[in-house]
Amino acid sequence: MELPSIVEALLTSSNEPLPAEEIARLVRARVAEAEDSRARKIEDGETPPELPEWLAALSAVSSEQIIAAIAKLNHDYETSGRAFSLVERAKGWKLFTRPSYGEFVRHLFPGRKPERLSGPAMETLAIIAYRQPITKGAIEAVRGVACDGMLQKLLDRELVRIGGRAELPGRPLLYETTELFYEHFGIRSIDDLPNSTELRRVKLPEAPAESTAAAESQLALSATDSKPEENAE
């Protein structure tokens, strides 16, 4: 067996994406299992054959070798005109249908209609993505308008989540992107966003000093269970 074929078998069998490090671990685990089995047979007085050279050679396989194997698979898929390829996402590598076949695949799911985010929603999402974790007040300071509705829409679509509370007066909620966000936009991390480094360094307008805890608490109720604030004495 060759490493690319083993990697292909693992990725086609897994329901979840697999990072290169996890694939390498699984391969090494199979070699260790074979070595342990052979050792037990020797202890029992048997004379088992040596491990096949191809299997023994995988005992120290690295994530770099896995990535090279994936590159070979993708090259083979492309040159043979296959309808899929292996793509790395935030949670690891996964087999995806090529976009050019999307119109055919879409008919497998007639009940799902593509929904586009509005301009204001995309603007709000972009601010969160580049500057997360970020408070609602800071988002509104950039946009210049209230963003409760846009935040609720992004929370409902699970592109954004509440990631805690800021150490600021009123303990405002902090917003950040979800794993679905990375999956939807086909990126592995925030660093894959255009001009990420530059835009994350740009100084943003300061949020108003007034506490926005009351408005955010109402928004949080529909997104996550939160611990009630203690009443001030």
Side-chain angles (χ1 to χ4, degrees), residues 106 109-117 157 184:
R106 183 170 57 84
F109 312 98
R112 296 185 182 179
K113 295 183 179 180
E115 296 183 21
R116 294 182 178 273
L117 290 174
R157 294 197 179 186
H184 181 78

Short mmCIF file of all heavy atoms in Angstrom, two decimals, residues 106 109-117 157 184:
data_model
loop_
_atom_site.label_atom_id
_atom_site.label_comp_id
_atom_site.label_asym_id
_atom_site.label_seq_id
_atom_site.Cartn_x
_atom_site.Cartn_y
_atom_site.Cartn_z
N ARG A 106 -26.78 20.66 -6.37
CA ARG A 106 -27.85 21.44 -5.72
C ARG A 106 -29.20 20.76 -5.83
O ARG A 106 -30.05 20.88 -4.93
CB ARG A 106 -27.90 22.84 -6.33
CG ARG A 106 -28.92 23.77 -5.69
CD ARG A 106 -28.74 25.19 -6.20
NE ARG A 106 -28.84 25.25 -7.65
CZ ARG A 106 -30.00 25.33 -8.31
NH1 ARG A 106 -31.14 25.36 -7.64
NH2 ARG A 106 -30.01 25.39 -9.61
N PHE A 109 -30.68 18.62 -3.06
CA PHE A 109 -31.24 19.29 -1.89
C PHE A 109 -32.21 20.37 -2.34
O PHE A 109 -31.95 21.57 -2.16
CB PHE A 109 -30.11 19.90 -1.05
CG PHE A 109 -28.97 18.95 -0.79
CD1 PHE A 109 -27.82 18.98 -1.57
CD2 PHE A 109 -29.06 18.00 0.22
CE1 PHE A 109 -26.78 18.11 -1.35
CE2 PHE A 109 -28.03 17.12 0.46
CZ PHE A 109 -26.89 17.17 -0.32
N PRO A 110 -33.35 19.99 -2.90
CA PRO A 110 -34.28 20.98 -3.45
C PRO A 110 -34.86 21.92 -2.40
O PRO A 110 -35.29 23.03 -2.72
CB PRO A 110 -35.38 20.12 -4.08
CG PRO A 110 -35.29 18.81 -3.37
CD PRO A 110 -33.84 18.62 -3.06
N GLY A 111 -34.88 21.49 -1.15
CA GLY A 111 -35.45 22.33 -0.09
C GLY A 111 -34.53 23.43 0.37
O GLY A 111 -34.93 24.34 1.08
N ARG A 112 -33.25 23.35 0.00
CA ARG A 112 -32.29 24.35 0.44
C ARG A 112 -32.10 25.40 -0.64
O ARG A 112 -31.66 25.10 -1.74
CB ARG A 112 -30.94 23.70 0.76
CG ARG A 112 -31.00 22.72 1.92
CD ARG A 112 -29.60 22.21 2.23
NE ARG A 112 -29.60 21.22 3.30
CZ ARG A 112 -28.51 20.62 3.74
NH1 ARG A 112 -27.33 20.90 3.21
NH2 ARG A 112 -28.59 19.73 4.71
N LYS A 113 -32.44 26.61 -0.32
CA LYS A 113 -32.24 27.70 -1.26
C LYS A 113 -31.10 28.59 -0.76
O LYS A 113 -31.06 28.94 0.42
CB LYS A 113 -33.52 28.53 -1.39
CG LYS A 113 -34.68 27.76 -2.01
CD LYS A 113 -35.90 28.64 -2.18
CE LYS A 113 -37.04 27.86 -2.82
NZ LYS A 113 -38.25 28.72 -2.99
N PRO A 114 -30.17 28.92 -1.65
CA PRO A 114 -29.05 29.78 -1.20
C PRO A 114 -29.55 31.13 -0.74
O PRO A 114 -30.39 31.77 -1.38
CB PRO A 114 -28.19 29.89 -2.47
CG PRO A 114 -29.11 29.57 -3.60
CD PRO A 114 -30.10 28.60 -3.08
N GLU A 115 -29.07 31.59 0.40
CA GLU A 115 -29.45 32.88 0.95
C GLU A 115 -28.21 33.76 1.04
O GLU A 115 -27.18 33.35 1.56
CB GLU A 115 -30.08 32.73 2.33
CG GLU A 115 -31.39 31.95 2.33
CD GLU A 115 -32.01 31.88 3.70
OE1 GLU A 115 -31.66 32.76 4.53
OE2 GLU A 115 -32.82 30.99 3.95
N ARG A 116 -28.33 34.93 0.52
CA ARG A 116 -27.21 35.87 0.56
C ARG A 116 -27.37 36.81 1.74
O ARG A 116 -28.47 37.24 2.08
CB ARG A 116 -27.15 36.69 -0.74
CG ARG A 116 -26.81 35.86 -1.96
CD ARG A 116 -26.70 36.76 -3.19
NE ARG A 116 -26.33 36.00 -4.37
CZ ARG A 116 -25.08 35.74 -4.73
NH1 ARG A 116 -24.08 36.18 -3.98
NH2 ARG A 116 -24.81 35.04 -5.81
N LEU A 117 -26.25 37.14 2.36
CA LEU A 117 -26.28 38.13 3.43
C LEU A 117 -26.41 39.51 2.82
O LEU A 117 -25.84 39.80 1.75
CB LEU A 117 -24.99 38.05 4.26
CG LEU A 117 -24.81 36.82 5.14
CD1 LEU A 117 -23.43 36.83 5.77
CD2 LEU A 117 -25.88 36.76 6.23
N ARG A 157 -27.74 32.51 12.07
CA ARG A 157 -27.12 31.72 11.00
C ARG A 157 -25.86 31.00 11.48
O ARG A 157 -25.19 30.33 10.71
CB ARG A 157 -26.78 32.61 9.81
CG ARG A 157 -28.02 33.19 9.13
CD ARG A 157 -27.69 33.70 7.76
NE ARG A 157 -28.86 34.23 7.09
CZ ARG A 157 -28.87 34.63 5.84
NH1 ARG A 157 -27.77 34.56 5.12
NH2 ARG A 157 -29.97 35.11 5.28
N HIS A 184 -17.89 28.09 5.71
CA HIS A 184 -18.69 28.76 4.69
C HIS A 184 -17.83 29.57 3.72
O HIS A 184 -18.09 29.56 2.51
CB HIS A 184 -19.72 29.67 5.37
CG HIS A 184 -20.61 30.39 4.41
ND1 HIS A 184 -21.69 29.78 3.80
CD2 HIS A 184 -20.59 31.66 3.93
CE1 HIS A 184 -22.28 30.66 2.99
NE2 HIS A 184 -21.64 31.79 3.05
#
